[in-house]
């Protein structure tokens, strides 16, 4: 079927819009990934710092959220190593297009955009897959980190030592109160003795 110039121009315009949407989605994903990588990087020292005085078994459990964070970072960084998206018509082909008629140049643009769109779909599929894996493991790492930090707070050695000190102080206080009560009672029950007056002589029998 023979297409007129306006139809060809319309198809070329729509193909360019599709390429722009793919590029916009790709840039947005990369921006979000960069932000998540920064948050994860700052979260790691904060998380490890909260476990310095924890029990050994709590530190062992902390490897689970750390592993989840590492997996998420691996998937996010992998996005930056994928092949960049196609942008459609290359600047190097402008000289060739200039020697063509308007219709031929527009058809050439449509063909290039169609090829670029298909190639970009494959790349975006990998990007979305890595992005989704990274987000899922980031959420899992945050949830596990909250659980580990909560366990570390509940079973903290410092908290246990403080409770022991409080119990010892309470026992010492109860012992002192008992001793004071005994001393007070003993003082009240001390018998009194009457000393004889040396100035009073005993009666003499005749």
């Amino acid at each position: 079927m023979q297409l007129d110039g306006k139809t060809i121009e319309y198809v070329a315009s729509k193909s360019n819009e599709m390429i722009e949407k793919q590029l916009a989605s790709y840039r947005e994903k990369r921006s979000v990934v960069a932000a998540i990588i920064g948050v994860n990087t700052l979260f790691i020292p904060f998380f490890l710092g909260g476990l310095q005085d924890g029990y050994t078994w709590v530190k062992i459990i902390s490897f689970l959220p750390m592993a989840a964070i590492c997996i998420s970072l691996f998937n996010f960084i992998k996005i930056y190593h994928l092949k960049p998206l196609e942008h459609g018509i290359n600047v190097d082909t402008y000289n060739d297009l200039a020697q063509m008629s308007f219709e031929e140049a527009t058809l050439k643009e449509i063909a290039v955009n169609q090829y670029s769109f298909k190639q970009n779909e494959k790349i975006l599929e990998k990007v979305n897959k890595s992005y989704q894996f990274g987000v899922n493991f980031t959420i899992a790492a945050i949830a596990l980190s909250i659980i580990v930090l909560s366990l570390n707070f509940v079973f903290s050695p410092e908290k246990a030592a403080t409770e022991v000190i409080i119990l010892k102080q309470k026992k010492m206080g109860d012992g002192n109160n008992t001793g004071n009560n005994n001393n007070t009672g003993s003082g009240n029950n001390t018998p009194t003795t009457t000393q004889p007056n040396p100035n009073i002589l005993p009666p003499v029998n005749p």
Side-chain angles (χ1 to χ4, degrees):
M1 185 174 91
Q2 188 69 24
L3 298 176
D4 58 8
K6 291 184 178 180
T7 303
I8 296 174
E9 188 176 357
Y10 174 79
V11 174
S13 176
K14 287 298 179 181
S15 64
N16 286 325
E17 290 180 6
M18 297 299 296
I19 297 296
E20 288 296 329
K21 288 181 180 179
Q22 287 181 328
L23 294 173
S25 175
Y26 180 70
R27 295 189 190 103
E28 182 181 358
K29 283 285 193 310
R30 286 171 66 96
S31 299
V32 174
V33 165
I36 297 176
I37 290 175
V39 172
N40 286 347
T41 304
L42 294 175
F43 178 77
I44 291 174
F46 169 77
F47 174 70
L48 295 178
L51 301 175
Q52 287 183 355
D53 299 327
Y55 287 111
T56 303
W57 64 272
V58 177
K59 294 180 180 179
I60 293 175
I61 297 176
S62 67
F63 282 102
L64 293 175
M66 288 301 302
I69 291 177
C70 291
I71 294 174
S72 68
L73 289 175
F74 172 77
N75 282 277
F76 287 142
I77 294 174
K78 189 166 66 174
I79 293 175
Y80 288 92
H81 291 277
L82 292 174
K83 182 182 177 181
L85 297 186
E86 299 286 342
H87 290 70
I89 292 291
N90 196 324
V91 179
D92 297 335
T93 61
Y94 284 177
N95 293 330
D96 296 334
L97 293 175
Q99 298 175 3
M100 300 179 182
S101 64
F102 176 78
E103 183 177 346
E104 290 177 347
T106 307
L107 290 174
K108 177 69 173 179
E109 181 182 5
I110 293 173
V112 173
N113 288 344
Q114 185 177 11
Y115 173 81
S116 298
F117 182 83
K118 292 180 180 180
Q119 295 299 315
N120 290 345
E121 273 191 329
K122 297 177 182 179
I123 299 172
L124 287 175
E125 184 179 356
K126 296 179 181 179
V127 170
N128 292 331
K129 185 177 180 181
S130 297
Y131 176 81
Q132 195 60 46
F133 268 114
V135 170
N136 292 338
F137 277 100
T138 298
I139 295 173
I142 293 173
L144 291 172
S145 299
I146 293 173
I147 295 173
V148 172
L149 290 175
S150 300
L151 291 174
N152 184 63
F153 176 76
V154 173
F155 299 101
S156 175
E158 293 182 356
K159 185 177 181 182
T162 303
E163 292 178 352
V164 171
I165 293 173
I166 292 173
L167 290 174
K168 287 183 178 180
Q169 291 177 349
K170 186 177 180 181
K171 289 181 180 179
M172 291 175 62
D174 293 340
N176 293 333
N177 292 333
T178 303
N180 292 333
N181 292 333
N182 291 335
N183 292 334
T184 304
S186 300
N188 293 334
N189 295 331
T190 302
T192 58
T193 57
T194 303
Q195 298 293 335
N197 193 346
N199 297 324
I200 300 175
L201 299 175
V204 177
N205 294 327

